[in-house]
């Protein structure tokens, strides 16, 4: 009988000693996330049109007779590409004549310098000779510039919209020979009504969508004209934040979206989709809220779609700033104590498990 009691007490001691370690071993590990408050926004859509940065009228910087035209209407030209040439025969002769005079005078100035150093001529005569050489050098450079001006190069990338003259015609300096559409960057122009213009301080971001292109293209504001037109509309100019799709061309119609803050709507809370689970009894979406005593409690929430980052939008049940479980939600129980994993495992990249 004594032996039986002894064995019973010994077994009880073993059970008592083993329970804490067993309870500790059964404590589940979770990964937490902090809920983020998302400001309410509204989106308005306006018709817009794509246009080139601007149209450039290109002409020679000197007068002359057109000898060659290398670009045709509709051609795409790159910056620095030769587009047209003038007959440069007279300009060549002018440069050669002045070059001869300059070389001759330069030799005379060098001999005058030697005489000045020997004090055979006055300083005034030497300074006049040097000044005459500089003046002739300036004239020579002007003629060289005019010779270079007989070639017309594209100042930027773009499309030739029109060619206004033909070879053998005479043109004056500055006469527009080409009209070039500058497509180094594209713009989108839209008109917004007066009531939205007054809300311009609440604009958050812009985007545009074109027919046949599914994705939204982010935009950046260039200007918003402070004067209304005859229809009480204000012109908004936007540029593409990224390289636009190759299908986007000047003259194309697009939809411009303006996202602005909405003070009339309640703030929403964004949570990871993995943090949402359905209650087995009530069949309503819930999240596990982590308490200070390392336990979790079930919190029902009301959802309203997802945001741009793929997070669930909670419109009721959370206020923002709560720490919730985002990994391991389907195996937890109400009031269960959990262990928080602060550092993600190398084999669990992204905390998906």
């Amino acid at each position: 009988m004594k032996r039986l009691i002894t064995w019973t007490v010994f077994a009880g001691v073993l059970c008592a000693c083993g329970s804490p370690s067993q309870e500790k071993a059964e404590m589940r590990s979770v990964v937490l996330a902090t809920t983020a408050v998302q400001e309410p926004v509204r989106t308005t859509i306006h018709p817009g049109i794509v246009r080139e940065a601007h149209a450039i009228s290109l002409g020679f910087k000197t007068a002359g007779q057109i000898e060659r035209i290398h670009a045709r209407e509709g051609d795409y030209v790159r910056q620095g590409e030769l587009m047209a040439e003038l007959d440069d025969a007279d300009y060549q002769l002018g440069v050669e004549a002045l070059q001869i005079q300059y070389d001759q005078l330069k030799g005379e100035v060098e001999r005058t310098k030697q005489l000045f150093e020997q004090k055979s001529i006055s300083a005034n005569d030497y300074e006049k000779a040097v000044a005459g050489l500089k003046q002739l050098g300036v004239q020579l450079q002007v003629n060289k510039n005019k010779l270079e001006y007989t070639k017309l190069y594209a100042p930027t990338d773009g499309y030739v919209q029109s060619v206004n003259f033909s070879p053998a015609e005479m043109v004056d300096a500055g006469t527009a020979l080409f009209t070039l559409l500058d497509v180094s960057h594209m713009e989108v122009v839209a008109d917004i009504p007066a009531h939205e213009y007054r809300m311009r301080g609440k604009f958050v971001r812009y985007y545009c969508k074109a027919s046949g292109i599914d994705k939204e293209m982010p935009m950046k504001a260039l200007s918003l004209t402070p004067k209304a037109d005859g229809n009480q509309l204000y012109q908004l100019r936007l540029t593409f934040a990224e390289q636009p799709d190759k299908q986007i061309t000047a003259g194309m119609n697009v939809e411009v979206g303006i996202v602005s803050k909405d003070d009339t709507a309640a703030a929403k809370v964004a949570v990871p989709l993995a943090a949402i689970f359905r209650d087995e009894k009530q069949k309503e979406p819930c999240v596990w809220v982590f308490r200070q005593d390392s336990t979790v409690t079930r919190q029902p929430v009301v959802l309203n779609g997802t945001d741009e980052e793929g997070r669930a939008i909670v419109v009721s049940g959370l206020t923002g700033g709560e720490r919730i479980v985002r990994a391991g939600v389907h195996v937890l129980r109400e009031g269960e104590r959990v262990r928080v994993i602060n550092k993600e495992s190398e084999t669990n990249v992204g905390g998906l498990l």
Side-chain angles (χ1 to χ4, degrees):
M1 182 67 179
K2 291 182 179 181
R3 183 177 298 177
L4 178 60
I5 295 174
T6 302
W7 279 106
T8 303
V9 173
F10 182 69
V13 172
L14 288 177
C15 292
C17 294
S19 333
S21 61
Q22 183 179 0
E23 181 182 354
K24 183 177 180 180
E26 292 179 353
M27 185 179 295
R28 303 184 189 279
S29 298
V30 297
V31 178
L32 302 182
T34 303
T35 59
V37 178
Q38 193 174 64
E39 294 293 334
V41 296
R42 66 184 183 91
T43 302
T44 54
I45 305 297
H46 303 278
I49 186 170
V50 181
R51 70 181 189 185
E52 67 283 353
H54 55 278
I56 305 173
S57 295
L58 296 181
F60 291 100
K61 297 175 69 174
T62 188
Q65 184 180 29
I66 300 174
E67 184 174 354
R68 297 183 187 89
I69 295 179
H70 301 285
R72 296 177 298 177
E73 292 184 1
D75 286 353
Y76 178 77
V77 294
R78 297 191 177 277
Q79 183 177 5
E81 184 176 336
L82 181 61
M83 300 182 67
E85 300 177 71
L86 293 177
D87 182 3
D88 62 356
D90 293 338
Y91 291 101
Q92 287 278 10
L93 294 174
V95 170
E96 291 176 6
L98 280 174
Q99 186 69 56
I100 293 172
Q101 295 180 30
Y102 180 82
D103 294 340
Q104 180 183 2
L105 186 58
K106 183 177 180 181
E108 293 179 2
V109 170
E110 290 176 353
R111 289 190 293 272
T112 304
K113 180 179 180 182
Q114 293 177 359
L115 294 174
F116 172 70
E117 292 174 349
Q118 297 173 3
K119 298 183 179 180
S120 299
I121 61 173
S122 65
N124 186 46
D125 291 338
Y126 174 67
E127 290 175 358
K128 285 182 178 179
V130 172
L133 180 63
K134 290 183 178 179
Q135 184 177 6
L136 191 60
V138 171
Q139 294 178 9
L140 176 60
Q141 187 59 50
V142 169
N143 278 266
K144 287 182 177 180
N145 290 343
K146 289 182 177 180
L147 179 60
E148 293 181 359
Y149 296 157
T150 60
K151 291 180 173 56
L152 182 60
Y153 298 93
T156 185
D157 297 349
Y159 289 94
V160 178
Q161 184 179 30
S162 63
V163 180
N164 305 320
F165 291 87
S166 301
E169 289 190 86
M170 297 294 297
V171 292
D172 292 329
T175 302
L177 176 59
F178 299 100
T179 300
L180 182 67
L181 300 180
D182 179 9
V183 293
S184 56
H185 68 276
M186 306 291 284
E187 297 179 2
V188 173
V189 178
D191 295 324
I192 63 175
H195 72 272
E196 192 159 358
Y197 174 79
R198 291 192 293 269
M199 303 290 290
R200 62 191 181 279
K202 298 181 180 180
F203 292 170
V204 176
R205 66 181 183 88
Y206 311 88
Y207 68 88
C208 82
K209 293 187 68 176
S211 178
I213 303 176
D214 296 332
K215 64 178 182 179
E216 295 181 356
M217 290 167 281
M219 309 292 293
K220 293 189 297 185
L222 288 177
S223 65
L224 180 56
T225 305
K227 182 179 179 180
D229 60 12
N231 296 320
Q232 294 301 298
L233 298 174
Y234 296 80
Q235 187 181 86
L236 174 65
R237 291 175 56 239
L238 305 169
T239 184
F240 291 89
E242 303 170 354
Q243 186 67 24
D245 192 284
K246 294 181 179 180
Q247 301 179 48
I248 300 296
T249 58
M252 178 179 290
N253 293 323
V254 295
E255 291 183 349
V256 175
I258 303 177
V259 181
S260 56
K261 295 181 181 178
D262 188 0
D263 296 334
T264 62
K268 301 175 183 179
V269 178
V271 300
L273 281 174
I276 306 294
F277 69 96
R278 292 212 170 257
D279 181 78
E280 296 181 357
K281 296 181 180 179
Q282 302 296 332
K283 302 299 182 182
E284 59 183 353
C286 300
V287 296
W288 291 111
V289 178
F290 183 76
R291 295 175 174 175
Q292 293 184 352
D293 59 356
S294 296
T295 61
V296 293
T297 182
R298 183 186 291 103
Q299 176 60 49
V301 294
V302 177
L303 304 178
N304 185 21
T306 58
D307 64 4
E308 297 177 351
E309 299 179 12
R311 298 175 299 181
I313 299 300
V314 177
V315 295
S316 177
L318 298 174
T319 59
E322 298 94 343
R323 300 180 70 191
I324 62 174
V325 178
R326 71 175 176 87
V329 297
H330 298 289
V331 295
L332 298 178
R333 298 187 301 273
E334 179 68 28
E336 182 177 358
R337 188 180 299 274
V338 296
R339 181 190 301 108
V340 178
I341 301 177
N342 294 320
K343 186 178 181 180
E344 295 180 354
S345 170
E346 295 181 358
T347 59
N348 184 25
V349 179
L352 300 177
L353 302 179

